Amino acid sequence: MKNKGIIFLSIILILLIAVAGILLAMKLVNGKLDGEAMSNGIISLGKEDGKVKEEVKTINVYNGVDRPIAVMIDNHKGAWPQAGLNEAYLVYEIIVEGGETRLMACFKGKDLAKIGPVRSSRHYFLDYALENDAIYVHFGWSPQAESDISTYKVNNINGIVQSSKDFWRVKDKKAPHNAVTSTEKILSMANSKKYRTTSSSKSVLNYKAEEFNLEEGTVANEVQIPYSKLHTVEYKYNEETKKYERYARGVKQTDWDTKEPIATKNIIITFAENYTLQDVEKKDRQGLKNIGDKKGYYITNGKAIEIIASKASRTEKTIYKDLAGNIIDVNDGNTFIQICPIDAKVVIE
Protein backbone atom coordinates (compact mmCIF):
# COMPACT_ATOMS: atom_id res chain seq x y z
CA MET A 1 0.00 0.00 0.00
CA LYS A 2 2.84 2.32 0.83
CA ASN A 3 4.44 1.72 -2.60
CA LYS A 4 1.10 2.34 -4.35
CA GLY A 5 0.75 5.67 -2.50
CA ILE A 6 4.20 6.75 -3.58
CA ILE A 7 3.46 5.81 -7.19
CA PHE A 8 0.15 7.73 -7.09
CA LEU A 9 1.85 10.86 -5.72
CA SER A 10 4.57 10.59 -8.34
CA ILE A 11 2.00 10.45 -11.13
CA ILE A 12 0.21 13.53 -9.73
CA LEU A 13 3.52 15.40 -9.50
CA ILE A 14 4.41 14.52 -13.11
CA LEU A 15 0.98 15.71 -14.30
CA LEU A 16 1.36 19.01 -12.43
CA ILE A 17 4.81 19.60 -13.97
CA ALA A 18 3.42 18.84 -17.43
CA VAL A 19 0.50 21.26 -17.00
CA ALA A 20 2.85 23.97 -15.74
CA GLY A 21 5.10 23.43 -18.74
CA ILE A 22 2.18 23.74 -21.15
CA LEU A 23 0.99 26.96 -19.50
CA LEU A 24 4.50 28.43 -19.63
CA ALA A 25 4.86 27.54 -23.31
CA MET A 26 1.49 29.15 -24.10
CA LYS A 27 2.53 32.32 -22.28
CA LEU A 28 5.79 32.51 -24.20
CA VAL A 29 4.06 31.99 -27.54
CA ASN A 30 1.44 34.63 -26.73
CA GLY A 31 4.16 37.02 -25.64
CA LYS A 32 6.00 36.48 -28.90
CA LEU A 33 2.86 37.10 -30.89
CA ASP A 34 2.08 40.22 -28.90
CA GLY A 35 5.62 41.44 -29.52
CA GLU A 36 5.28 40.82 -33.24
CA ALA A 37 1.96 42.63 -33.29
CA MET A 38 3.44 45.64 -31.54
CA SER A 39 6.40 45.73 -33.93
CA ASN A 40 3.94 45.86 -36.82
CA GLY A 41 1.98 48.71 -35.27
CA ILE A 42 -0.90 46.52 -33.98
CA ILE A 43 -2.29 46.70 -30.46
CA SER A 44 -4.75 44.24 -28.93
CA LEU A 45 -7.97 45.65 -27.49
CA GLY A 46 -9.19 42.41 -25.90
CA LYS A 47 -11.90 40.09 -27.24
CA GLU A 48 -15.36 40.68 -28.57
CA ASP A 49 -17.66 37.82 -29.65
CA GLY A 50 -14.76 35.42 -29.26
CA LYS A 51 -12.55 37.39 -31.68
CA VAL A 52 -9.50 39.45 -30.86
CA LYS A 53 -10.08 43.15 -31.47
CA GLU A 54 -7.10 44.94 -33.01
CA GLU A 55 -6.37 48.50 -33.93
CA VAL A 56 -3.58 49.94 -36.04
CA LYS A 57 -1.71 52.46 -33.93
CA THR A 58 0.36 55.46 -34.93
CA ILE A 59 4.09 54.76 -34.88
CA ASN A 60 7.25 56.73 -35.36
CA VAL A 61 8.95 54.74 -38.07
CA TYR A 62 12.31 56.43 -37.59
CA ASN A 63 12.58 56.16 -33.82
CA GLY A 64 15.20 53.66 -32.79
CA VAL A 65 18.79 53.09 -31.84
CA ASP A 66 20.79 54.50 -34.76
CA ARG A 67 21.52 58.20 -34.58
CA PRO A 68 20.71 60.14 -37.77
CA ILE A 69 23.44 61.45 -40.04
CA ALA A 70 22.72 64.78 -41.78
CA VAL A 71 24.86 65.41 -44.87
CA MET A 72 25.09 68.68 -46.81
CA ILE A 73 24.53 67.83 -50.48
CA ASP A 74 25.65 70.07 -53.34
CA ASN A 75 22.72 71.09 -55.57
CA HIS A 76 24.57 73.09 -58.21
CA LYS A 77 23.89 71.87 -61.75
CA GLY A 78 27.50 70.71 -61.92
CA ALA A 79 26.85 68.37 -58.99
CA TRP A 80 23.99 66.49 -60.66
CA PRO A 81 23.21 63.65 -60.39
CA GLN A 82 23.64 63.15 -56.64
CA ALA A 83 24.13 59.91 -54.72
CA GLY A 84 22.01 58.69 -51.82
CA LEU A 85 18.95 60.97 -51.90
CA ASN A 86 16.51 58.08 -52.37
CA GLU A 87 17.94 56.44 -49.24
CA ALA A 88 17.43 59.50 -47.03
CA TYR A 89 14.38 59.53 -44.76
CA LEU A 90 14.35 63.35 -44.83
CA VAL A 91 15.78 65.84 -47.31
CA TYR A 92 15.69 69.58 -46.60
CA GLU A 93 16.08 72.09 -49.44
CA ILE A 94 16.77 75.76 -48.65
CA ILE A 95 17.98 78.77 -50.65
CA VAL A 96 21.65 79.80 -50.52
CA GLU A 97 23.62 82.55 -52.28
CA GLY A 98 23.34 83.21 -56.00
CA GLY A 99 19.79 81.87 -56.29
CA GLU A 100 21.08 78.32 -55.79
CA THR A 101 19.75 75.88 -53.20
CA ARG A 102 21.51 73.32 -51.08
CA LEU A 103 20.16 70.04 -49.72
CA MET A 104 20.61 68.37 -46.34
CA ALA A 105 19.92 64.64 -46.51
CA CYS A 106 19.23 62.75 -43.28
CA PHE A 107 20.07 59.04 -43.11
CA LYS A 108 19.41 56.48 -40.43
CA GLY A 109 20.50 52.84 -40.27
CA LYS A 110 21.84 52.88 -43.85
CA ASP A 111 24.96 51.35 -45.37
CA LEU A 112 25.78 53.52 -48.38
CA ALA A 113 29.04 53.29 -50.29
CA LYS A 114 28.70 56.78 -51.78
CA ILE A 115 26.94 59.95 -50.60
CA GLY A 116 27.36 63.29 -52.27
CA PRO A 117 28.65 65.45 -53.67
CA VAL A 118 29.18 66.86 -50.16
CA ARG A 119 29.29 70.65 -49.88
CA SER A 120 29.88 73.32 -47.24
CA SER A 121 27.64 74.25 -44.34
CA ARG A 122 25.26 77.18 -44.06
CA HIS A 123 24.28 78.16 -40.53
CA TYR A 124 20.48 77.81 -40.83
CA PHE A 125 20.77 74.15 -41.86
CA LEU A 126 22.07 73.53 -38.33
CA ASP A 127 18.55 74.17 -37.01
CA TYR A 128 17.32 71.07 -38.82
CA ALA A 129 20.32 68.91 -37.97
CA LEU A 130 19.74 69.77 -34.31
CA GLU A 131 16.01 69.00 -34.38
CA ASN A 132 16.82 65.56 -35.82
CA ASP A 133 19.56 64.94 -33.21
CA ALA A 134 21.87 64.28 -36.14
CA ILE A 135 25.63 64.08 -36.62
CA TYR A 136 26.22 66.93 -39.09
CA VAL A 137 28.47 66.25 -42.08
CA HIS A 138 29.80 68.99 -44.41
CA PHE A 139 32.79 69.95 -46.57
CA GLY A 140 33.78 73.40 -45.38
CA TRP A 141 31.63 76.10 -43.85
CA SER A 142 30.61 79.74 -44.00
CA PRO A 143 31.85 82.03 -41.18
CA GLN A 144 28.37 82.00 -39.61
CA ALA A 145 28.16 78.20 -39.73
CA GLU A 146 31.63 77.83 -38.22
CA SER A 147 30.65 80.14 -35.36
CA ASP A 148 27.26 78.48 -34.73
CA ILE A 149 28.68 74.95 -34.82
CA SER A 150 30.93 76.01 -31.97
CA THR A 151 28.22 77.95 -30.09
CA TYR A 152 25.65 75.13 -30.25
CA LYS A 153 28.28 72.39 -29.77
CA VAL A 154 27.09 70.57 -32.87
CA ASN A 155 28.60 67.13 -33.38
CA ASN A 156 30.01 67.81 -36.81
CA ILE A 157 32.40 66.25 -39.32
CA ASN A 158 34.16 68.69 -41.66
CA GLY A 159 35.46 66.92 -44.76
CA ILE A 160 38.03 69.62 -45.52
CA VAL A 161 40.07 68.68 -42.43
CA GLN A 162 39.56 64.92 -42.72
CA SER A 163 41.67 62.34 -44.50
CA SER A 164 41.30 61.84 -48.26
CA LYS A 165 40.40 58.25 -47.40
CA ASP A 166 37.31 59.51 -45.53
CA PHE A 167 36.26 62.10 -48.14
CA TRP A 168 37.53 61.65 -51.66
CA ARG A 169 37.15 63.43 -54.98
CA VAL A 170 35.80 61.50 -57.94
CA LYS A 171 36.96 62.01 -61.52
CA ASP A 172 33.60 62.13 -63.29
CA LYS A 173 32.74 65.55 -61.85
CA LYS A 174 34.75 68.76 -61.54
CA ALA A 175 35.75 70.40 -58.24
CA PRO A 176 34.21 71.74 -56.10
CA HIS A 177 31.28 69.47 -57.04
CA ASN A 178 33.00 66.10 -56.64
CA ALA A 179 33.69 65.36 -52.95
CA VAL A 180 31.98 62.21 -51.64
CA THR A 181 31.96 59.99 -48.57
CA SER A 182 30.16 56.89 -47.23
CA THR A 183 28.16 55.97 -44.15
CA GLU A 184 30.92 53.58 -43.07
CA LYS A 185 33.49 56.39 -43.15
CA ILE A 186 31.13 58.80 -41.37
CA LEU A 187 30.50 56.37 -38.53
CA SER A 188 34.21 55.61 -38.25
CA MET A 189 34.98 59.34 -37.98
CA ALA A 190 32.15 59.82 -35.48
CA ASN A 191 33.54 57.03 -33.29
CA SER A 192 37.04 58.50 -33.43
CA LYS A 193 35.60 61.84 -32.28
CA LYS A 194 33.69 60.01 -29.52
CA TYR A 195 30.34 61.25 -30.81
CA ARG A 196 27.25 59.43 -29.65
CA THR A 197 26.01 57.13 -32.44
CA THR A 198 22.70 56.12 -30.84
CA SER A 199 19.59 58.20 -30.26
CA SER A 200 16.27 57.87 -28.47
CA SER A 201 15.03 61.22 -29.81
CA LYS A 202 11.47 61.23 -31.11
CA SER A 203 11.00 61.72 -34.84
CA VAL A 204 10.22 65.23 -36.08
CA LEU A 205 7.33 63.86 -38.16
CA ASN A 206 4.38 61.86 -36.86
CA TYR A 207 4.48 58.81 -39.13
CA LYS A 208 1.44 56.59 -39.56
CA ALA A 209 1.78 52.81 -39.64
CA GLU A 210 -1.05 52.30 -42.12
CA GLU A 211 -1.06 54.17 -45.42
CA PHE A 212 -3.77 56.81 -45.72
CA ASN A 213 -5.12 59.36 -48.17
CA LEU A 214 -5.89 62.98 -47.40
CA GLU A 215 -9.68 63.17 -47.40
CA GLU A 216 -9.75 66.96 -47.54
CA GLY A 217 -7.55 69.23 -49.59
CA THR A 218 -6.88 69.82 -53.25
CA VAL A 219 -5.59 67.69 -56.10
CA ALA A 220 -1.79 67.65 -56.19
CA ASN A 221 -0.56 65.73 -59.21
CA GLU A 222 2.01 68.38 -60.13
CA VAL A 223 3.83 70.79 -57.82
CA GLN A 224 6.04 73.72 -58.83
CA ILE A 225 8.27 75.48 -56.28
CA PRO A 226 10.25 78.49 -57.60
CA TYR A 227 13.21 79.31 -55.34
CA SER A 228 14.67 81.96 -57.65
CA LYS A 229 14.83 82.96 -61.33
CA LEU A 230 17.60 80.37 -61.64
CA HIS A 231 16.10 77.44 -59.76
CA THR A 232 12.60 75.90 -59.79
CA VAL A 233 11.74 72.50 -58.34
CA GLU A 234 8.90 70.38 -59.73
CA TYR A 235 7.29 67.16 -58.55
CA LYS A 236 5.10 64.92 -60.68
CA TYR A 237 2.90 62.24 -59.10
CA ASN A 238 3.31 58.65 -60.29
CA GLU A 239 0.03 56.83 -59.58
CA GLU A 240 1.66 53.39 -59.91
CA THR A 241 4.38 53.94 -57.33
CA LYS A 242 2.35 56.47 -55.28
CA LYS A 243 5.44 58.68 -55.17
CA TYR A 244 6.41 62.08 -56.52
CA GLU A 245 9.27 62.18 -59.03
CA ARG A 246 11.55 65.18 -58.74
CA TYR A 247 12.61 67.68 -61.43
CA ALA A 248 14.91 70.70 -61.10
CA ARG A 249 15.27 73.42 -63.75
CA GLY A 250 13.29 71.20 -66.10
CA VAL A 251 15.63 68.22 -65.69
CA LYS A 252 14.40 64.92 -64.22
CA GLN A 253 16.54 64.10 -61.21
CA THR A 254 18.10 60.63 -61.03
CA ASP A 255 20.49 58.79 -58.74
CA TRP A 256 24.19 59.03 -59.61
CA ASP A 257 24.78 55.26 -59.62
CA THR A 258 21.43 53.47 -59.92
CA LYS A 259 20.04 55.95 -62.49
CA GLU A 260 16.63 55.56 -60.82
CA PRO A 261 14.37 58.65 -60.56
CA ILE A 262 14.65 60.65 -57.35
CA ALA A 263 11.23 60.16 -55.79
CA THR A 264 9.50 60.88 -52.50
CA LYS A 265 6.38 59.71 -50.68
CA ASN A 266 5.76 63.02 -48.94
CA ILE A 267 6.39 66.68 -49.67
CA ILE A 268 6.23 69.41 -47.04
CA ILE A 269 6.43 73.02 -48.23
CA THR A 270 6.94 75.92 -45.85
CA PHE A 271 7.67 79.58 -46.47
CA ALA A 272 10.36 81.62 -44.70
CA GLU A 273 11.91 84.99 -45.39
CA ASN A 274 15.52 84.93 -46.56
CA TYR A 275 17.83 87.96 -46.69
CA THR A 276 21.39 88.82 -47.69
CA LEU A 277 23.99 88.87 -44.94
CA GLN A 278 26.46 91.72 -44.67
CA ASP A 279 29.51 89.66 -43.80
CA VAL A 280 33.19 90.41 -44.38
CA GLU A 281 33.47 87.99 -47.32
CA LYS A 282 30.71 89.79 -49.28
CA LYS A 283 29.55 86.63 -51.03
CA ASP A 284 25.82 87.42 -50.70
CA ARG A 285 25.28 84.54 -48.30
CA GLN A 286 21.77 84.31 -46.94
CA GLY A 287 20.04 84.41 -43.58
CA LEU A 288 16.70 82.75 -42.81
CA LYS A 289 13.83 83.88 -40.58
CA ASN A 290 12.44 80.45 -39.74
CA ILE A 291 11.37 80.89 -36.11
CA GLY A 292 7.66 81.20 -35.33
CA ASP A 293 4.60 80.06 -37.31
CA LYS A 294 5.01 79.63 -41.06
CA LYS A 295 2.37 78.73 -43.64
CA GLY A 296 2.78 75.72 -45.87
CA TYR A 297 1.42 72.52 -47.40
CA TYR A 298 1.56 68.79 -46.77
CA ILE A 299 1.35 66.70 -49.96
CA THR A 300 0.97 62.93 -50.32
CA ASN A 301 -0.81 60.42 -52.57
CA GLY A 302 -1.99 63.06 -55.02
CA LYS A 303 -3.56 65.47 -52.51
CA ALA A 304 -2.44 68.60 -50.63
CA ILE A 305 -3.62 70.28 -47.45
CA GLU A 306 -2.64 73.61 -45.91
CA ILE A 307 -0.55 73.44 -42.76
CA ILE A 308 1.25 75.63 -40.22
CA ALA A 309 4.89 74.86 -39.35
CA SER A 310 5.87 76.12 -35.89
CA LYS A 311 9.44 76.31 -34.61
CA ALA A 312 9.94 77.82 -31.17
CA SER A 313 13.74 78.08 -31.34
CA ARG A 314 16.66 76.95 -33.44
CA THR A 315 17.19 73.83 -31.33
CA GLU A 316 13.55 72.76 -30.92
CA LYS A 317 11.68 70.47 -33.29
CA THR A 318 9.40 71.94 -35.92
CA ILE A 319 5.75 71.05 -35.27
CA TYR A 320 3.53 70.62 -38.31
CA LYS A 321 -0.22 71.16 -37.78
CA ASP A 322 -3.29 71.36 -39.96
CA LEU A 323 -5.42 74.51 -39.92
CA ALA A 324 -7.57 73.02 -37.15
CA GLY A 325 -4.51 72.85 -34.90
CA ASN A 326 -3.97 69.08 -35.06
CA ILE A 327 -0.48 67.64 -35.54
CA ILE A 328 -0.51 66.10 -39.00
CA ASP A 329 0.02 62.40 -39.63
CA VAL A 330 2.57 61.59 -42.32
CA ASN A 331 2.65 58.52 -44.55
CA ASP A 332 5.45 56.06 -43.94
CA GLY A 333 8.22 56.77 -46.45
CA ASN A 334 10.76 59.43 -47.32
CA THR A 335 9.97 63.14 -47.20
CA PHE A 336 11.34 66.22 -48.96
CA ILE A 337 10.93 69.38 -46.87
CA GLN A 338 11.01 72.43 -49.14
CA ILE A 339 11.70 75.62 -47.17
CA CYS A 340 11.19 78.21 -49.89
CA PRO A 341 11.30 82.02 -50.05
CA ILE A 342 8.36 83.82 -48.47
CA ASP A 343 7.18 85.25 -51.81
CA ALA A 344 7.58 82.03 -53.84
CA LYS A 345 4.61 81.49 -56.17
CA VAL A 346 4.03 77.81 -55.50
CA VAL A 347 1.67 76.07 -57.92
CA ILE A 348 -0.19 72.89 -56.95
CA GLU A 349 -2.49 71.31 -59.52
Side-chain angles (χ1 to χ4, degrees), residues 149-172:
I149 284 172
S150 175
T151 298
Y152 288 94
K153 297 180 173 56
V154 179
N155 285 174
N156 80 105
I157 295 172
N158 185 356
I160 278 186
V161 299
Q162 296 296 142
S163 163
S164 60
K165 293 181 179 179
D166 296 322
F167 289 81
W168 60 97
R169 292 194 181 275
V170 295
K171 295 181 179 180
D172 54 331

Side-chain angles (χ1 to χ4, degrees), residues 254-297:
T254 57
D255 183 83
W256 193 345
D257 293 324
T258 69
K259 312 305 181 187
E260 294 178 351
I262 302 302
T264 185
K265 183 66 177 177
N266 308 293
I267 304 165
I268 290 176
I269 302 172
T270 65
F271 299 87
E273 181 183 350
N274 59 291
Y275 57 94
T276 301
L277 296 170
Q278 302 301 317
D279 62 18
V280 293
E281 295 188 349
K282 297 182 179 180
K283 291 187 176 181
D284 293 331
R285 293 195 179 98
Q286 299 294 291
L288 190 72
K289 296 182 179 180
N290 61 345
I291 305 304
D293 293 344
K294 308 297 177 183
K295 294 181 179 180
Y297 300 93

Side-chain angles (χ1 to χ4, degrees), residues 67-71 104-105 107 129-130 132-138 154-157 186-187 189-191 193 195-198:
R67 188 179 182 187
I69 298 166
V71 185
M104 187 182 79
F107 305 93
L130 288 166
N132 281 279
D133 187 33
I135 297 169
Y136 184 61
V137 182
H138 53 104
V154 179
N155 285 174
N156 80 105
I157 295 172
I186 292 170
L187 290 173
M189 289 181 279
N191 284 323
K193 294 176 181 293
Y195 291 159
R196 174 172 46 82
T197 56
T198 60

Side-chain angles (χ1 to χ4, degrees), residues 128 268-275 288-298 305-312 318-323 338-342:
Y128 303 101
I268 290 176
I269 302 172
T270 65
F271 299 87
E273 181 183 350
N274 59 291
Y275 57 94
L288 190 72
K289 296 182 179 180
N290 61 345
I291 305 304
D293 293 344
K294 308 297 177 183
K295 294 181 179 180
Y297 300 93
Y298 170 51
I305 60 169
E306 294 184 68
I307 62 169
I308 299 294
S310 302
K311 191 168 177 63
T318 305
I319 300 173
Y320 300 94
K321 295 182 179 181
D322 61 26
L323 298 187
Q338 310 286 155
I339 302 174
C340 62
I342 197 76

Side-chain angles (χ1 to χ4, degrees), residues 26-27 49 53 59 61 110 131 136 150 177 200 208 211 214 248 254 260 266 270 285 295 302 326:
M26 290 175 65
K27 184 175 182 180
D49 298 328
K53 292 171 61 181
I59 62 172
V61 178
K110 295 290 184 178
E131 72 174 24
Y136 184 61
S150 175
H177 313 298
S200 59
K208 196 77 172 177
E211 186 172 7
L214 297 171
T254 57
E260 294 178 351
N266 308 293
T270 65
R285 293 195 179 98
K295 294 181 179 180
N326 304 304

Side-chain angles (χ1 to χ4, degrees), residues 29 62 67 102 112 124 190 193 252 283 295 309 325:
V29 169
Y62 298 105
R67 188 179 182 187
R102 203 153 287 182
L112 302 175
Y124 38 87
K193 294 176 181 293
K252 188 172 186 176
K283 291 187 176 181
K295 294 181 179 180

